């Protein structure tokens, strides 16, 4: 399992109905002293290594970067899908040909299919898809009565439809490979608690 957070889980949260239901009692989550997100692999030393060929959307920034770096530390090769592929150049310099930077717009179905095709070709196959990219953070939350049609459509295209298109494309590749694979969806805590404004982006991302 991959567990990600920016701070320790409190004892109260771990013992709460939500924490117990989602297996949070034994999660190892913490933040480094410099405030960077830390991602821990819940894997015993004698257990098999994770699959080697990974596609992470939004994998060059924030939580996506932490996910990518974790897979890289475990020996995987990672294709990073970004709206601006130049954001992954630092990772390419650090890890060489184990990182592949690919540009795509998650709100475009054809881009989603193309991303999976290119990642599969460059990696020599696909074992893991991490659906991490989304419109979120500053600017994503708007008061409900302030929403306009273009904003709503963009959120649905990226945070909902894009995830579906990517998962279908990756699932077909994994099926045809004959060995299966793993698809991981990164979600948002705005599904579980209210914020100052209606976080439409976060709510949709938790579909």
């Amino acid at each position: 399992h991959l567990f990600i957070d920016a701070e320790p889980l409190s004892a109260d949260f771990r013992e709460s109905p939500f924490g117990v239901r989602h297996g949070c009692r034994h999660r190892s989550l913490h933040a480094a002293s410099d405030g960077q997100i830390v991602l821990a692999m819940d894997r015993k030393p004698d257990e098999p290594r994770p699959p080697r060929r990974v596609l992470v959307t939004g994998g060059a920034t924030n939580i996506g970067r932490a996910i990518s770096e974790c897979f890289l530390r475990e020996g995987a090769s990672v294709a990073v899908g970004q709206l601006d592929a130049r954001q992954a150049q630092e990772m390419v310099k650090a890890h060489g040909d184990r990182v592949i930077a690919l540009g795509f717009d998650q709100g475009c179905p054809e881009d989603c299919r193309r991303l999976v095709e290119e990642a599969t070709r460059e990696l020599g196959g696909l074992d893991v898809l991490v659906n991490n990219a989304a419109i979120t953070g500053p600017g994503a939350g708007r008061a409900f009565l302030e929403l306009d049609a273009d904003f709503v459509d963009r959120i649905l295209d990226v945070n909902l439809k894009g995830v579906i298109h990517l998962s279908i494309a990756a699932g077909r590749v994994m099926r045809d490979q004959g060995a299966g694979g793993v698809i991981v969806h990164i979600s948002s805590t705005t599904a579980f608690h209210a914020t100052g404004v209606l976080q439409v982006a976060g709510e949709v991302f938790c579909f």
Side-chain angles (χ1 to χ4, degrees), residues 161-196:
K161 296 178 183 178
V163 172
I164 294 173
H165 293 310
L166 286 162
S167 299
I168 291 172
R172 288 172 175 167
V173 169
M174 294 170 183
R175 176 198 62 193
D176 294 344
Q177 288 175 164
V182 176
I183 297 176
V184 179
H185 302 303
I186 305 302
S187 189
S188 169
T189 57
T190 55
F192 307 108
H193 64 82
T195 57

Side-chain angles (χ1 to χ4, degrees), residues 130-147:
V130 181
N131 281 312
N132 166 76
I135 298 175
T136 186
R142 298 186 185 181
F144 184 74
L145 298 182
E146 301 302 319
L147 298 179

Side-chain angles (χ1 to χ4, degrees), residues 46-201:
D46 58 343
E47 289 179 340
R49 292 280 180 175
R52 299 287 185 179
R53 302 164 298 186
V54 183
L55 169 58
V56 183
T57 63
T61 55
N62 303 319
I63 292 176
R65 174 69 178 268
I67 295 171
S68 298
E69 293 287 356
C70 181
F71 275 113
L72 288 164
R73 286 196 300 272
E74 292 291 318
S77 295
V78 179
V80 175
Q82 290 283 143
L83 186 60
D84 183 354
R86 291 173 297 181
Q87 291 180 300
Q89 289 309 305
E90 181 182 336
M91 296 175 62
V92 172
K93 291 180 180 178
H95 300 282
D97 60 6
R98 291 176 55 212
V99 174
I100 301 163
L102 301 171
F104 89 117
D105 181 349
Q106 189 162 301
C108 173
E110 183 55 40
D111 265 23
C112 292
R113 290 188 287 270
R114 178 181 54 78
L115 175 69
V116 172
E117 290 174 358
E118 291 183 355
T120 301
R121 182 175 62 254
E122 295 292 333
L123 295 172
L126 186 63
D127 300 304
V128 178
L129 165 65
V130 181
N131 281 312
N132 166 76
I135 298 175
T136 186
R142 298 186 185 181
F144 184 74
L145 298 182
E146 301 302 319
L147 298 179
D148 58 64
D150 290 341
F151 178 80
V152 172
D153 286 343
R154 181 62 177 167
I155 292 296
L156 291 173
D157 287 344
V158 173
N159 292 13
L160 177 61
K161 296 178 183 178
V163 172
I164 294 173
H165 293 310
L166 286 162
S167 299
I168 291 172
R172 288 172 175 167
V173 169
M174 294 170 183
R175 176 198 62 193
D176 294 344
Q177 288 175 164
V182 176
I183 297 176
V184 179
H185 302 303
I186 305 302
S187 189
S188 169
T189 57
T190 55
F192 307 108
H193 64 82
T195 57
V197 293
L198 181 63
Q199 284 277 3
V200 176

